[in-house]
Amino acid sequence: MDSIENKFALYTLNGGLLHIRYYKDIVINHEAAIRIVADRLKLQNGIYYPALCDIRGVEEVDKPGRDYLAREGSTLLKAVAFIVGDPMSDILSYFYLKTTKPSIPTKAFQDMDEAKLFLEKYI
Amino acid sequence: MSKKKRLKRIVEAIAEMGAGKFYYHIEKSSKKDSIDALISGINMMAEEIGEALLHEGYVNSNETIKHIVLMNFIIDLDGNVKAVNQQACDILFYNCLEIVGGSFDNLLNKRSTPKWKRHWDMLKNKKMLDTSIALTFKTKSGLLLPSACYINKLGGKKNGEESIIVTVVKHSKRQVELEEYLIAKENNKKESSKKNNPLTLMDNRQKVKLSSSDVIKIREVRDYFMDNLEMDFPPIKEIALEFGTNAFKIKYGFKELYGVSVFRFIRNERLRKAKMLVQGSNISFKKITQLCGFKSVPSFSATFKNEFGYTPKELRRKFLAENP
């Protein structure tokens, strides 16, 4: 299995990277966050990966959703590169970085290639 | 909505926060522009501060009174508000006379109306008598108020004399995360009952005061535990020294902030991580034992079963069966 999807995002394993692309107008609450992490773990099958995470479709993450992702969102990940570019995704990634202080290397990028370059050393 | 009006709403919400009310949210437009992004940022900040206030309020409870904000509505079988409490009117910025007699869903944000209507239909058909749903109210000035609403149908003497009562409370994180709350309750019955009743926070017992730098250190220690659950932790004395504080403050602080002892906190977090890995992945139980810092697979299995009522194997099987 090298790809999985749910109503929130499409997950693909490619070239040693885990690609996650959120669909448009996604609202993440606690229940959604659980699903998002569970499906990701299912695809990873116990193996650590660096993740390229395109959050440009996310519209809102409520407090319970943020808290869940802050706790469990980095499980089995080596590093995370967010793809941002519109005002909403910019502020979400910035807020996430500031409030959760993730324990794995996490950075936001407007450019896909730059993001992949950042993650390369973690493959 | 014009830019001027949107900025006005932002200023209103910020003013309310300045007055210590962090439970209001600002409504976004569908423009998804920088102003909407700013609104999201302010809403998220309000949630974090509101949360932090609760914790700080508890830690320094000899100085601060914790308020649980409360709204109550009595609704007739036509869905109109028969009666409302003063505090609800204040929070929603309405005159009581503006609310009574009107339809309850006039007080809700448009997004919440379908949800209310669905529950209303079910309530009228007597399918449910007690329930709770998340609804968002809209104040007179357009601010949003996401709320946990507890809905009860009250029986009257005859048919047609029933009422629906809607109660809104603002509660702390601990009560939302039911599992954690139940676990804490088992071992800290006194502490939990204190937390649930704001009036008993003002008790005469001398409480040790934790400064805000103490609280920061305690949170750092918590983060250290969370990031290293697979480790066999050194004694608290050593950890405290490394973080520039003392063992008493860590032990006391954990009980105050998180409601449980350090030992129990670590145990709960290990089990929480394990539960997520058991349910959400195919990782071997041997690997999970390692990743979560348990001593051996049999002891992990036993602790797991004790906590959740199922062995890891059983829970994984059950989860997969219910979530194909």
Side-chain angles (χ1 to χ4, degrees):
Chain A
M1 181 172 56
D2 60 355
S3 152
I4 198 173
E5 73 174 311
N6 52 37
K7 64 179 179 179
F8 307 104
L10 172 68
Y11 308 75
T12 319
L13 289 172
N14 195 358
L17 286 182
L18 169 63
H19 293 247
I20 306 168
R21 183 170 59 82
Y22 285 92
Y23 296 134
K24 261 195 99 187
D25 298 334
I26 295 299
V27 174
I28 303 179
N29 57 18
H30 189 243
E31 201 186 305
I34 293 176
R35 189 73 213 220
I36 285 166
V37 176
D39 282 346
R40 175 172 72 69
L41 292 178
K42 213 192 256 181
L43 181 66
Q44 287 181 243
N45 208 17
I47 305 171
Y48 279 84
Y49 282 96
L52 183 67
C53 194
D54 188 341
I55 60 170
R56 287 174 294 187
V58 178
E59 150 130 0
E60 192 184 308
V61 189
D62 70 10
K63 174 96 175 108
R66 288 201 301 279
D67 286 346
Y68 185 85
L69 290 175
R71 275 200 309 271
E72 325 282 17
S74 329
T75 310
L76 275 195
L77 291 176
K78 289 192 201 169
V80 175
F82 289 121
I83 302 293
V84 298
D86 62 289
M88 193 59 215
S89 56
D90 279 347
I91 209 171
L92 272 179
S93 68
Y94 191 67
F95 200 87
Y96 176 79
L97 284 167
K98 285 283 172 183
T99 57
T100 63
K101 290 176 287 238
S103 50
I104 54 172
T106 309
K107 221 172 160 192
F109 298 92
Q110 301 234 5
D111 186 83
M112 188 75 78
D113 293 325
E114 271 184 43
K116 286 185 179 165
L117 202 67
F118 167 76
L119 293 176
E120 227 154 65
K121 49 184 175 294
Y122 302 102
I123 292 179
Chain B
M1 232 195 299
S2 69
K3 189 174 181 180
K4 195 174 173 188
K5 204 164 182 190
R6 292 162 81 198
L7 289 174
K8 184 164 188 266
R9 292 260 175 95
I10 292 175
V11 169
E12 272 172 22
I14 289 177
E16 290 299 332
M17 290 176 209
K21 295 176 211 161
F22 292 93
Y23 41 81
Y24 291 111
H25 272 198
I26 311 166
E27 191 175 13
K28 289 197 283 192
S29 74
S30 45
K31 293 198 176 128
K32 299 190 193 195
D33 56 4
S34 310
I35 297 185
D36 275 344
L38 176 67
I39 287 174
S40 284
I42 296 173
N43 286 341
M44 290 193 286
M45 180 194 73
E47 285 175 322
E48 297 296 327
I49 296 179
E51 187 84 4
L53 266 184
L54 278 165
H55 281 287
E56 293 280 323
Y58 185 78
V59 168
N60 296 299
S61 61
N62 51 339
E63 290 175 350
T64 323
I65 301 171
K66 215 164 78 165
H67 290 283
I68 294 184
V69 176
L70 185 70
M71 299 198 287
N72 256 323
F73 305 89
I74 297 184
I75 303 172
D76 65 24
L77 293 176
D78 295 322
N80 298 322
V81 179
K82 272 202 303 203
V84 64
N85 68 322
Q86 183 62 50
Q87 198 166 19
C89 302
D90 294 341
I91 292 168
L92 297 174
F93 297 110
Y94 282 106
N95 193 307
C96 279
L97 294 172
E98 291 174 297
I99 295 182
V100 173
S103 176
F104 180 71
D105 60 31
N106 285 342
L107 302 170
L108 299 176
N109 185 30
K110 293 292 163 282
R111 259 161 82 162
S112 280
T113 313
K115 204 175 185 182
W116 168 249
K117 284 208 149 62
R118 267 199 315 271
H119 271 75
W120 180 252
D121 290 334
M122 284 195 270
L123 272 168
K124 275 179 62 173
N125 296 330
K126 287 188 197 160
K127 275 195 191 141
M128 287 184 313
L129 291 169
D130 296 301
T131 183
S132 61
I133 48 171
L135 293 172
T136 300
F137 289 87
K138 197 165 187 178
T139 71
K140 193 171 183 181
S141 57
L143 291 178
L144 302 183
L145 191 68
S147 309
C149 301
Y150 298 90
I151 306 173
N152 305 99
K153 192 167 185 182
L154 305 175
K157 223 174 186 177
K158 307 184 274 207
N159 259 349
E161 281 186 8
E162 299 104 338
S163 296
I164 313 291
I165 186 166
V166 177
T167 308
V168 176
V169 294
K170 290 291 171 191
H171 47 230
S172 75
K173 186 180 172 184
R174 209 156 285 112
Q175 283 165 281
V176 172
E177 290 182 317
L178 195 60
E179 273 184 325
E180 209 175 24
Y181 170 76
L182 284 174
I183 292 165
K185 197 176 183 178
E186 276 168 33
N187 299 292
N188 299 288
K189 273 207 164 83
K190 253 177 31 180
E191 234 110 28
S192 304
S193 64
K194 223 181 355 168
K195 261 192 283 293
N196 286 337
N197 187 348
L199 297 174
T200 63
L201 284 175
M202 298 285 285
D203 68 33
N204 295 324
R205 197 154 51 103
Q206 269 291 58
K207 287 196 96 132
V208 170
K209 210 168 142 178
L210 287 172
S211 70
S212 52
S213 70
D214 287 333
V215 173
I216 291 173
K217 294 228 166 77
I218 291 163
R219 290 199 174 129
E220 282 174 5
V221 172
R222 174 203 176 270
D223 289 344
Y224 161 71
F225 288 143
M226 294 294 281
D227 291 340
N228 296 287
L229 288 172
E230 68 278 1
M231 253 179 72
D232 209 353
F233 291 115
I236 297 181
K237 220 162 143 186
E238 250 180 68
I239 299 174
L241 230 85
E242 243 190 77
F243 281 85
T245 180
N246 62 58
F248 172 77
K249 287 207 170 153
I250 304 285
K251 289 189 199 169
Y252 179 79
F254 258 73
K255 269 246 162 92
E256 289 292 298
L257 278 180
Y258 307 117
V260 286
S261 68
V262 175
F263 170 79
R264 205 131 263 264
F265 176 85
I266 295 173
R267 181 185 172 275
N268 291 348
E269 292 308 316
R270 285 188 167 141
L271 283 166
R272 188 210 299 269
K273 184 175 179 181
K275 179 166 181 259
M276 196 200 39
L277 292 173
V278 163
Q279 279 179 340
S281 76
N282 304 325
I283 305 176
S284 73
F285 298 132
K286 183 172 178 198
K287 190 88 207 260
I288 296 181
T289 303
Q290 269 171 26
L291 287 173
C292 299
F294 290 96
K295 292 279 170 18
S296 69
V297 178
S299 79
F300 162 59
S301 213
T303 310
F304 195 91
K305 169 132 194 196
N306 199 18
E307 186 68 19
F308 300 117
Y310 299 98
T311 63
K313 200 171 187 175
E314 286 165 358
L315 189 69
R316 180 172 277 177
R317 207 185 304 140
K318 189 170 191 278
F319 188 78
L320 286 173
E322 288 172 11
N323 297 276

